[in-house]
Amino acid sequence: MPQPDRPLRKLGFLTIGLFDPLDPAAGHESTLQIIELGERLGFDSAWLRHRHLQFGISSPVAVMAAASQRTSRIELGTAVTPLGWENPLRLAEDLATVDLLAGGRINPGVSVGEPMQYDTVKHELYPDTADVEDFSYARVERFARLVAGEPVREFSGKQGVVEEFSNRVEPFSAGLRDRLWYGAGSTKSAVWAGSHGFNLLSSSVIFPDKDQEPDFALVQQSQMRAFREAAALAGHAGARVSQGLVVIPTDSATPAQREKYQRYVDERTPRTAAPQGPRGMMFAADLIGTSEEIAEQLYAHAGFQEVDEVAFALPFSFDHEDYVQILTDIAGKLGPAVGWAATGGDKQAS
C-alpha cells in the first residue's frame, strides 16, 4: 500500500473520449493527442472507457490501434469493455491484433452483465437470440480462454492449395491473457476475478455487501483484500490491483478553470452522500485542490492504501486544454507527491 516511504509504482489516466456529434473526428483526434501527451509526460498507462450509443468512444480497440502507432511506450487499456455487447471470439481476434501492433502494451479490461438499457437495443444487437444470450461470468470465461489460445474447434490444417486453418484464435499474442483485467464493483465479482486469473480494476463506483457500513473507502479496501486473497488461493499471487478515482489538481489552472472544475464537483457531490438504488450503489467523492491537498486525501483513503498503481479518471465534460492542464499537474506535481517517478517521459511536455 502506498505510503510516504513506499511510492506509487504505476500512474495512469482514464478518459471517456468525449466528442461533439456534429464533429466526431475532432473529439477522437483530441483523445489521441491526450494519449500522446500522456506518454511524453511519463504516464505508465492510458485507459479508455467504452460507450455505446453515446457521445464517447464506442470502439476503444480501434482507438488503441491508432494510439499504438503514435506512441511507443505507454500501456493502453479499456476500463471497461462490457462483454454483453461483444462476440468474445471476434473481440479476442481484434485485441490480439492490436496487442501485436502495439508491441504487447494492451490491457483489456472487461465486465459482464446485461447491456445497459437492453430492452431498447436488443432487437438490433441480437435480433434472433436476444432472449437466450448468456450475460453471466461464462461469457468472460469463454473470452479469456480464447485470448489464451485454447482450441476453438478440432479442425485445423491445410485445405486445398493455399488455404490453411488454425484451431485457435489468430493471431495469438503471447502474454495478453496475463494482462486481462476485470472491472469489479462488488465483493462477489472481486473474488470471482481473483480466482479466475484476472487483474482487478476498482473504480469510483462500487456496491457494498448488505452488512457493510456505507463508507466508500473502507468498502473498496475490503473488496481489494478479498480479491487478493482469492487470487493467492488460486495461484495468482502476483495479480495486479488498480484504483480509478476522479482527481482534479488545480495547481496550474486558471481562475476560470478552477471555477468550472468546482462547479463540476459540486454538481456530483450530492450523490456521494448516501448509497443509491436497490443495490446500494456508492460513488467516490471527486478529489479537487492542489496536488499537495489531493495527495493528503489519497494517503488517508483506505482504498488507495491498498494499491501501488492507479488510473485516475478524467472528468467527462471538460475541454482539451483542461485535460492538458490536469494531466500536466498530475504528472509533474501530484505523482511526485505520492512518490511516483516518470519513466521515459518528459515532465515539461505541454
Side-chain angles (χ1 to χ4, degrees):
M1 62 185 83
Q3 295 294 340
D5 59 349
R6 185 173 179 182
L8 189 70
R9 186 171 59 89
K10 285 183 177 291
L11 177 63
F13 66 91
L14 167 65
T15 179
I16 191 174
L18 191 70
F19 60 83
D20 183 340
L22 298 179
D23 187 13
H28 285 74
E29 174 61 25
S30 172
T31 295
L32 291 172
Q33 291 179 9
I34 288 298
I35 294 172
E36 289 181 280
L37 172 64
E39 175 159 284
R40 295 198 302 273
L41 290 169
F43 278 89
D44 298 292
S45 60
W47 300 78
L48 304 175
R49 289 196 186 276
H50 208 143
R51 287 292 185 266
H52 290 291
L53 305 180
Q54 294 180 262
F55 306 118
I57 294 171
S58 63
S59 182
V61 176
V63 174
M64 289 191 299
S68 75
Q69 304 307 293
R70 294 165 65 156
T71 58
S72 62
R73 177 195 56 78
I74 194 169
E75 294 186 357
L76 306 167
T78 59
V80 290
T81 294
L83 282 184
W85 290 80
E86 305 290 340
N87 179 299
L89 192 153
R90 282 290 300 115
L91 182 62
E93 290 178 328
D94 287 347
L95 286 168
T97 300
V98 176
D99 193 46
L100 292 170
L101 292 173
R105 291 187 281 138
I106 301 302
N107 285 259
V110 300
S111 65
V112 295
E114 186 176 277
M116 185 180 296
Q117 299 174 339
Y118 188 49
D119 286 342
T120 69
V121 73
K122 65 183 182 180
H123 62 288
E124 292 290 352
L125 185 60
Y126 299 114
D128 302 315
T129 61
D131 294 331
V132 297
E133 287 289 334
D134 184 357
F135 299 126
S136 71
Y137 290 132
R139 199 178 190 94
V140 72
E141 289 176 13
R142 177 157 57 101
F143 168 71
R145 290 197 305 270
L146 296 170
V147 169
E150 294 188 21
V152 174
R153 60 184 180 185
E154 294 183 3
F155 172 71
S156 65
K158 205 162 188 178
Q159 188 177 64
V161 178
V162 296
E163 295 281 5
E164 190 163 2
F165 296 88
S166 174
N167 66 351
R168 70 177 184 182
V169 166
E170 300 291 352
F172 173 70
S173 185
L176 182 59
R177 172 62 182 88
D178 295 333
R179 284 179 270 116
L180 294 185
W181 296 73
Y182 189 79
S186 67
T187 300
K188 176 185 175 182
S189 58
V191 169
W192 181 90
S195 63
H196 285 77
F198 287 80
N199 302 299
L200 175 66
L201 288 168
S202 186
S203 74
S204 57
V205 182
I206 57 176
F207 300 89
D209 295 338
K210 290 183 179 180
D211 60 344
Q212 288 181 305
E213 291 295 322
D215 181 309
F216 182 95
L218 292 177
V219 172
Q220 187 174 61
Q221 180 187 61
S222 71
Q223 292 179 3
M224 292 173 172
R225 289 179 174 178
F227 167 83
R228 284 205 173 94
E229 182 178 351
L233 288 173
H236 307 296
R240 297 161 63 186
V241 180
S242 178
Q243 183 193 43
L245 301 177
V246 176
V247 301
I248 310 176
T250 58
D251 303 84
S252 65
T254 66
Q257 285 175 318
R258 292 177 186 176
E259 182 180 350
K260 177 168 73 172
Y261 300 170
Q262 191 62 58
R263 282 199 310 270
Y264 178 86
V265 171
D266 290 345
E267 290 174 357
R268 286 161 49 93
T269 297
R271 68 180 189 165
T272 69
Q276 307 288 312
R279 293 184 59 194
M281 181 166 53
M282 299 176 64
F283 295 90
D286 300 335
L287 304 183
I288 185 171
T290 66
S291 291
E292 183 178 347
E293 291 169 340
I294 293 175
E296 184 176 353
Q297 294 177 73
L298 287 172
Y299 278 128
H301 194 288
F304 182 80
Q305 292 168 11
E306 289 294 316
V307 301
D308 63 2
E309 57 184 290
V310 296
F312 289 137
L314 295 175
F316 282 1
S317 55
F318 287 5
D319 298 319
H320 182 88
E321 57 269 24
D322 301 328
Y323 295 138
V324 170
Q325 176 266 312
I326 291 169
L327 287 180
T328 302
D329 280 354
I330 290 176
K333 293 181 169 56
L334 178 57
V338 291
W340 173 79
T343 55
D346 176 9
K347 291 184 182 181
Q348 301 305 311
S350 61

